[in-house]
Amino acid sequence: MDLFFNELSIEGKKSIGKDSAISLVRVYRSLRQYEITTCRIASEDNQKLHEMIQNMPDFLNIRNFYFAFFRAPYESDNVEKEQNEYFEHEWLHNGKPCIGLPLAVILKSAALSICEDGWCDAFVDVTKDGNAETVRNISTEQHVDIHIPQIQAGQETELVESGLQIKDKKISLRDDHGADILMEFSKRLVRCPYVVSVINSLPFNSHERRFIKKIRGEGLIEIVLPWTDKGYGVVVQTTGRTMKETELIGKIIMEKYGGV
């Protein structure tokens, strides 16, 4: 299985940060645990990214990984079999033509992005002839564990979106200390397309350090805000129809909303 480099993640750049380069190395090490060792990249982007990394002080520590991981061009036997699916449609991200993201969709794989400028989410969107498609995106080692087991299992979990407008998603909280903090967090949380509603507050969990406290049946997830002194938390109703779906939704929520 190959990944596909998201060329938009270095568009307009002359360099990348040291932390981004370190993150790239960590992603590679995590991928190797799943026996994934190749990321397809366009020749011109390969040259550009290599020059960015080559100018970094610790290039020698990165060089061996780089040449082992990135393979130009995008084309491979698998890509050639599916190339018509790319050329016969208009693929865009925020109005910009792209290659790596669509190939990840077409080949049922994942894109690899440099974790900068909005490319640090586990999922990104493209449009195919104006219709939205979700792309698995890897830019941190945590993303590897979210995506690769699902892909390798050959059992793509088709998550169902709620279909509700954000303004129509109900937020029900107890009138307790910290309700203002939970309300602010809940208003962010209901932006997730897989969240149906916030159905209640949790009792205080001042010693809980996990963001996802518990995955429950019927699509319920218990979330604690470990950065609060009292450990404020909520119970969220998601669209998860099985434990597997709800666990995946939990990982998505953790990735997008699990920080301060």
Side-chain angles (χ1 to χ4, degrees):
M1 171 189 154
D2 296 345
L3 302 186
F4 296 92
F5 184 71
N6 170 23
E7 75 282 3
L8 296 181
S9 68
I10 58 170
E11 184 181 54
K13 288 180 174 290
K14 293 183 179 180
S15 63
I16 62 173
K18 180 179 179 181
D19 289 345
S20 298
I22 292 172
S23 180
L24 197 59
V25 174
R26 289 175 176 168
V27 165
Y28 173 67
R29 289 173 179 167
S30 294
L31 288 167
R32 286 188 61 184
Q33 296 177 10
Y34 295 97
E35 299 183 351
I36 296 174
T37 58
T38 300
C39 180
R40 293 285 171 182
I41 185 171
S43 298
E44 59 271 24
D45 293 321
N46 189 34
Q47 181 178 351
K48 179 179 179 180
L49 182 60
H50 178 258
E51 288 175 356
M52 290 178 177
I53 293 177
Q54 189 175 27
N55 292 329
M56 302 185 75
D58 53 353
F59 168 66
L60 292 179
N61 296 326
I62 302 174
R63 179 179 59 188
N64 292 339
F65 128 78
Y66 187 93
F67 289 116
F69 187 40
F70 289 100
R71 292 281 186 274
Y74 276 122
E75 288 76 10
S76 64
D77 289 343
N78 289 335
V79 172
E80 289 180 1
K81 292 176 184 177
E82 304 289 345
Q83 62 183 355
N84 288 345
E85 179 66 14
Y86 175 77
F87 289 114
E88 292 176 0
H89 301 278
E90 181 183 48
W91 296 86
L92 303 173
H93 174 78
N94 289 342
K96 295 181 180 180
C98 48
I99 302 176
L101 297 176
L103 288 179
V105 173
I106 294 168
L107 275 296
K108 295 181 173 58
S109 181
L112 179 84
S113 300
I114 301 300
C115 190
E116 294 181 358
D117 300 333
W119 293 110
C120 298
D121 292 336
F123 295 88
V124 298
D125 293 329
V126 294
T127 59
K128 173 186 173 184
D129 299 333
N131 298 313
E133 299 272 352
T134 299
V135 187
R136 293 181 181 274
N137 183 52
I138 292 176
S139 59
T140 69
E141 55 188 325
Q142 289 80 14
H143 295 163
V144 175
D145 292 328
I146 290 173
H147 296 309
I148 300 306
Q150 286 282 323
I151 296 171
Q152 290 187 335
Q155 298 174 346
E156 284 283 347
T157 301
E158 295 290 338
L159 297 179
V160 177
E161 296 186 357
S162 71
L164 296 172
Q165 297 291 321
I166 293 172
K167 62 182 178 61
D168 295 327
K169 295 183 178 183
K170 295 182 178 180
I171 300 174
S172 300
L173 302 171
R174 292 197 311 272
D175 188 19
D176 285 342
H177 182 65
D180 55 336
I181 295 174
L182 287 178
M183 178 59 73
E184 181 182 353
F185 175 77
S186 296
K187 287 180 177 178
R188 291 174 51 213
L189 192 59
V190 295
R191 294 181 177 275
C192 175
Y194 309 112
V195 169
V196 177
S197 62
V198 177
I199 65 173
N200 206 350
S201 309
L202 283 174
F204 296 158
N205 289 272
S206 58
H207 299 294
E208 182 60 67
R209 300 270 63 90
R210 295 170 299 172
F211 177 73
I212 301 294
K213 181 175 184 289
K214 188 176 181 180
I215 304 290
R216 291 162 48 183
E218 301 178 345
L220 297 175
I221 299 178
E222 295 182 4
I223 295 174
V224 173
L225 312 187
W227 55 85
T228 59
D229 292 340
K230 297 290 187 180
Y232 306 135
V234 292
V235 182
V236 180
Q237 177 66 63
T238 74
T239 59
R241 296 164 294 183
T242 64
M243 286 296 289
K244 184 176 181 181
E245 287 185 4
T246 308
E247 286 171 357
L248 180 55
I249 291 171
K251 289 180 180 180
I252 294 171
I253 290 174
M254 171 68 186
E255 178 64 29
K256 197 163 185 67
Y257 305 101
V260 179

